[in-house]
Amino acid sequence: MFVIGITGGSGSGKTSALRVLSSLGALALDCDEIYHQLLKENAELKAGLEARYGGVLVDGSIDRKRLGEIVFKDPDALKDLNAITHKYVSAEIERRIREWEAQGGTIAAIDAIALIESGRAKKCDITIGVTASKETRVQRIMKRDGITREQAEMRVNAQKPDSYYKENCDYLLEDKYETLKAFEDECDALFTELIKGEHNL
């Protein structure tokens, strides 16, 4: 199993990169998506978050906006959130990869904002950092999550700088293009080369 790890801040273009890998035949694992699914379905995870943050569990569901307001203002709260959720997300990733391998799959791609900090990068054959300008990211987060500029900027400021990904990843993809298609073309070129290289080893 050839595992590619994709990381970068919110709104940087990770989802677009993951979509390109999916089109090339990889199992696409979006940790954010898996986390949100577990937030709805996993009672143990919900109880753990309520125990730590108090008041985020409303009518059996986690109030994500309330949780976000807490963790993006407080680095320790954000660190605890990652620690609580990591084991559940990690177990689900492992389960899906095993299932994919059993079906004959040979490539998996993991999109995770905390790929490096969580230790998940060590289980990847290659890691790719995706970056974009702060303004691009803020605009995307506002549009995607329906939040204010202030909330989006708070989220971006709470995350790692681009230099972190340059130092810790094997490759870097900078989403500096006018169109989504242009960025996807760059992703396609890099991923095709990496996959070809893996099959030629």
Side-chain angles (χ1 to χ4, degrees), residues 104-120:
T106 57
I107 306 163
I110 301 167
D111 163 3
I113 200 163
L115 186 82
I116 297 153
E117 305 93 303
S118 67
R120 170 61 53 187

Side-chain angles (χ1 to χ4, degrees), residues 1-4 16-29 96-97 99-101 103-110 187-188 191-192 195-196 198-199:
M1 178 66 64
F2 182 51
V3 181
I4 299 172
S16 299
L18 187 68
R19 200 165 45 240
V20 172
L21 273 164
S22 179
S23 74
L24 293 171
L27 168 68
L29 297 165
R96 293 191 192 187
I97 287 178
E99 201 174 79
W100 178 244
E101 201 163 15
Q103 293 167 9
T106 57
I107 306 163
I110 301 167
C187 292
D188 190 281
F191 299 150
T192 301
I195 292 166
K196 194 167 78 178
E198 164 65 12
H199 288 318

Side-chain angles (χ1 to χ4, degrees), residues 110-175:
I110 301 167
D111 163 3
I113 200 163
L115 186 82
I116 297 153
E117 305 93 303
S118 67
R120 170 61 53 187
K122 292 178 183 141
K123 296 187 177 182
C124 298
D125 296 292
I126 283 171
T127 56
I128 297 164
V130 183
T131 64
S133 73
K134 181 177 176 179
E135 182 57 27
T136 297
R137 292 174 60 198
V138 165
Q139 291 289 344
R140 285 175 179 168
I141 294 166
M142 285 166 62
K143 187 178 175 185
R144 184 189 70 199
D145 296 346
I147 60 177
T148 65
R149 168 174 281 276
E150 188 186 4
Q151 288 170 316
E153 285 181 347
M154 192 166 69
R155 196 171 293 187
V156 169
N157 292 336
Q159 294 173 357
K160 303 283 186 194
D162 291 352
S163 57
Y164 178 80
Y165 303 107
K166 286 175 187 167
E167 288 161 17
N168 290 285
C169 296
D170 299 313
Y171 296 89
L172 205 66
L173 279 167
E174 189 183 350
D175 187 354

